[in-house]
């Protein structure tokens, strides 16, 4: 979530950076500033009322001691009115604070200055490429036919048990899935990551902590009775380990890796171009997470990118890395084998 200081001190810059994501949030930004100013004004009045109430309390005590009961009673009535106004103002202030927080939650994070401008994925720039594109024969089969032919993945069985987007991995397909998970975990451990096996359900505070809530709840599976959410990625519970925690500088960077099943109520089309193992509602993922100083973030990002590049080359997969427009796409695209 963007901080109030960032919005107040760099208003136009934040608006311009958000525009790189193809969105205009200038009205929301101005509403945040208005709400913040109103909240600050009410906070000042509240503090003035409290100071006046404290002063009156002392005056009333002094008047009673001096035997000036009539004036003391008059000031006591004034004090009661001030306290009632104080309570009403506290309620108004709490409502303003909620409105301000809700509005801040609605505003996406602003992309870096380095993020490219563009209108679509066609404007992405390939900055690195490795491997050779396989040459497939004219009668090459798509992966959903191969997985069926070799009994690797059963989509129809998954649909029977649960629904579309919940495949059943079978035989060598299940073994391959398990082997890949272990491979990614083991390679991360070699690179100095510390393994975490987190819960796959999180509470509302954790969803807010990593930005899934309150505006992306439609993409998440929700266990309503317990008000828990199925995670869309291990990043959510792992990052929330450090929510409300103050870390010492010499503890940084912290490097965590975790495997979890992930769940997403994906929106969008389900045509021929997204058949098979694309657009799944449940999938397995190994996530690497680092907690580091802000001034080291780009260096850490490059380190993490290099780690994943090494994984792809060990697996012999052709891939490319994109400088993506809008800052919203994962830069690795696996394109072969």
């Amino acid at each position: 979530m963007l901080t109030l200081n960032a919005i107040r001190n760099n208003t136009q810059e934040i608006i311009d950076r958000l525009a790189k994501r193809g969105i205009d949030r200038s009205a929301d930004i101005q509403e945040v500033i208005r709400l913040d100013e109103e909240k600050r004004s009410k906070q000042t009045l509240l503090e003035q009322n409290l100071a006046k109430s404290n002063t009156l309390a002392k005056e009333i005590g002094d008047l009673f001691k001096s035997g000036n009961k009539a004036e003391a009673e008059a000031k006591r009535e004034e004090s009661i009115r001030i306290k009632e106004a104080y309570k009403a103002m506290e309620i108004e202030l709490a409502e303003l604070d909620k409105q301000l927080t809700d509005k801040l939650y609605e505003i996406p994070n602003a992309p870096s200055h380095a993020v490219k401008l563009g209108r679509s994925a066609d404007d992405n720039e390939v900055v690195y490429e490795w491997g050779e594109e396989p040459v497939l024969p004219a009668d090459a089969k798509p992966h959903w036919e191969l997985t069926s032919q070799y009994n690797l993945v059963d989509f129809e069985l998954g649909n029977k048990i649960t629904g579309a987007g919940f495949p059943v991995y079978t035989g060598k397909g299940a073994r391959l899935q398990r082997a890949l998970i272990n491979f990614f975990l083991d390679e991360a451990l070699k690179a100095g990551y510390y393994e975490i096996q987190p819960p796959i359900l999180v509470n509302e505070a954790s969803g807010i902590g990593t930005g899934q809530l309150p505006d992306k709840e439609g993409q998440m599976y929700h266990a309503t009775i317990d008000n828990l959410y199925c995670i869309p990625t291990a990043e959510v519970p792992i990052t929330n380990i450090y929510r409300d925690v103050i870390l010492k500088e010499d503890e940084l960077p912290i490097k965590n890796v975790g495997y979890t099943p992930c769940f997403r109520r994906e929106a969008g089309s389900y045509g021929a171009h997204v058949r098979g193992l694309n657009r799944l509602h449940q999938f397995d993922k190994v996530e690497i997470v680092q907690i580091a100083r802000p001034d080291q973030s780009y260096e850490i990002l490059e380190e993490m990118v290099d780690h994943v590049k090494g994984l792809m080359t060990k697996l012999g997969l052709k891939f490319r890395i994109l400088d993506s427009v809008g800052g919203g796409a994962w830069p690795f695209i696996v394109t072969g084998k």
Side-chain angles (χ1 to χ4, degrees):
M1 185 174 75
L2 292 169
T3 65
L4 278 170
N5 278 339
I7 291 174
R8 277 197 305 264
N9 299 332
N10 307 284
T11 305
Q12 191 56 49
E13 177 192 333
I14 294 292
I15 292 171
D16 293 343
R17 285 165 59 190
L18 284 168
K20 291 185 175 185
R21 303 183 69 161
I23 56 176
D24 179 6
R25 288 302 179 96
S26 53
D28 290 329
I29 295 291
Q30 294 303 329
E31 178 65 4
V32 163
I33 292 171
R34 185 193 71 78
L35 287 168
D36 181 46
E37 288 175 350
E38 187 176 352
K39 178 187 169 184
R40 284 165 172 261
S41 176
K42 287 218 180 287
Q43 183 68 51
T44 299
L45 286 173
L46 196 70
E47 290 168 359
Q48 288 173 351
N49 267 22
L50 181 61
K52 190 171 183 180
S53 180
N54 291 337
T55 300
L56 276 172
K58 185 178 183 306
E59 289 177 358
I60 291 166
D62 291 342
L63 287 168
F64 272 118
K65 286 178 183 177
S66 64
N68 197 341
K69 186 176 179 182
E71 190 175 349
E73 290 293 348
K75 285 190 178 288
R76 176 181 280 177
E77 288 185 14
E78 183 184 358
S79 176
I80 290 170
R81 289 194 299 271
I82 289 173
K83 286 178 180 178
E84 288 174 351
Y86 182 89
K87 289 178 182 177
M89 212 174 296
E90 274 190 317
I91 294 170
E92 291 175 11
L93 191 61
E95 179 57 31
L96 271 174
D97 189 59
K98 183 180 183 306
Q99 289 179 33
L100 179 58
T101 301
D102 289 346
K103 183 57 67 175
L104 283 168
Y105 284 147
E106 293 175 11
I107 301 173
N109 205 357
S112 162
H113 295 286
V115 170
K116 285 168 57 70
L117 282 169
R119 294 182 176 274
S120 70
D122 294 333
D123 297 317
N124 291 340
E125 178 186 352
V126 178
V127 295
Y128 183 85
E129 198 163 6
W130 185 90
E132 296 182 4
E133 193 78 40
V135 180
L136 301 176
D139 60 348
K141 295 180 180 180
H143 77 269
W144 53 86
E145 290 185 16
L146 291 172
T147 53
S148 176
Q149 178 181 336
Y150 293 104
N151 297 317
L152 305 176
V153 183
D154 194 322
F155 297 102
E156 293 182 3
L157 185 57
N159 191 51
K160 169 190 171 182
I161 296 171
T162 307
F166 293 89
V168 175
Y169 296 86
T170 58
K172 291 182 178 179
R175 290 179 62 192
L176 175 60
Q177 188 82 340
R178 176 162 48 86
L180 285 171
I181 291 167
N182 285 333
F183 168 73
F184 290 131
L185 285 173
D186 290 343
E187 289 297 309
L189 295 181
K190 292 177 188 175
Y193 287 85
Y194 182 73
E195 186 173 354
I196 302 288
Q197 188 173 29
I200 60 174
L201 288 166
V202 294
N203 57 31
E204 194 174 77
S206 293
I208 291 172
T210 46
Q212 275 68 39
L213 299 175
D215 61 333
K216 299 181 182 65
E217 63 271 19
Q219 300 174 22
M220 301 176 74
Y221 285 97
H222 187 193
T224 54
I225 293 177
D226 301 298
N227 196 28
L228 297 175
Y229 294 84
C230 296
I231 62 169
T233 165
E235 172 193 345
V236 174
I238 290 177
T239 304
N240 272 283
I241 291 171
Y242 306 99
R243 174 167 50 90
D244 299 329
V245 173
I246 297 175
L247 297 167
K248 295 179 180 178
E249 188 171 358
D250 59 8
E251 295 178 287
L252 303 176
I254 293 173
K255 302 171 68 172
N256 290 153
V257 62
Y259 153 70
T260 61
C262 302
F263 304 86
R264 297 184 187 177
R265 299 179 67 244
E266 291 281 6
S269 65
Y270 287 82
H273 63 294
V274 289
R275 289 180 62 186
L277 292 172
N278 294 315
R279 309 289 292 192
L280 297 180
H281 293 304
Q282 178 181 331
F283 54 95
D284 292 315
K285 188 177 180 187
V286 174
E287 186 84 38
I288 54 175
V289 175
Q290 289 206 40
I291 309 295
R293 288 171 51 93
D295 59 0
Q296 295 177 323
S297 60
Y298 288 102
E299 178 186 341
I300 295 291
L301 174 62
E302 288 303 318
E303 176 194 313
M304 296 171 81
V305 168
D306 287 342
H307 175 73
V308 180
K309 282 164 67 174
L311 299 176
M312 295 298 101
T313 55
K314 284 185 178 181
L315 291 170
L317 295 172
K318 174 179 171 56
F319 67 92
R320 51 197 168 94
I321 301 176
L322 304 179
D323 183 3
S324 56
V325 299
W330 176 242
F332 278 91
I333 307 293
V334 179
T335 59
K337 210 162 180 182

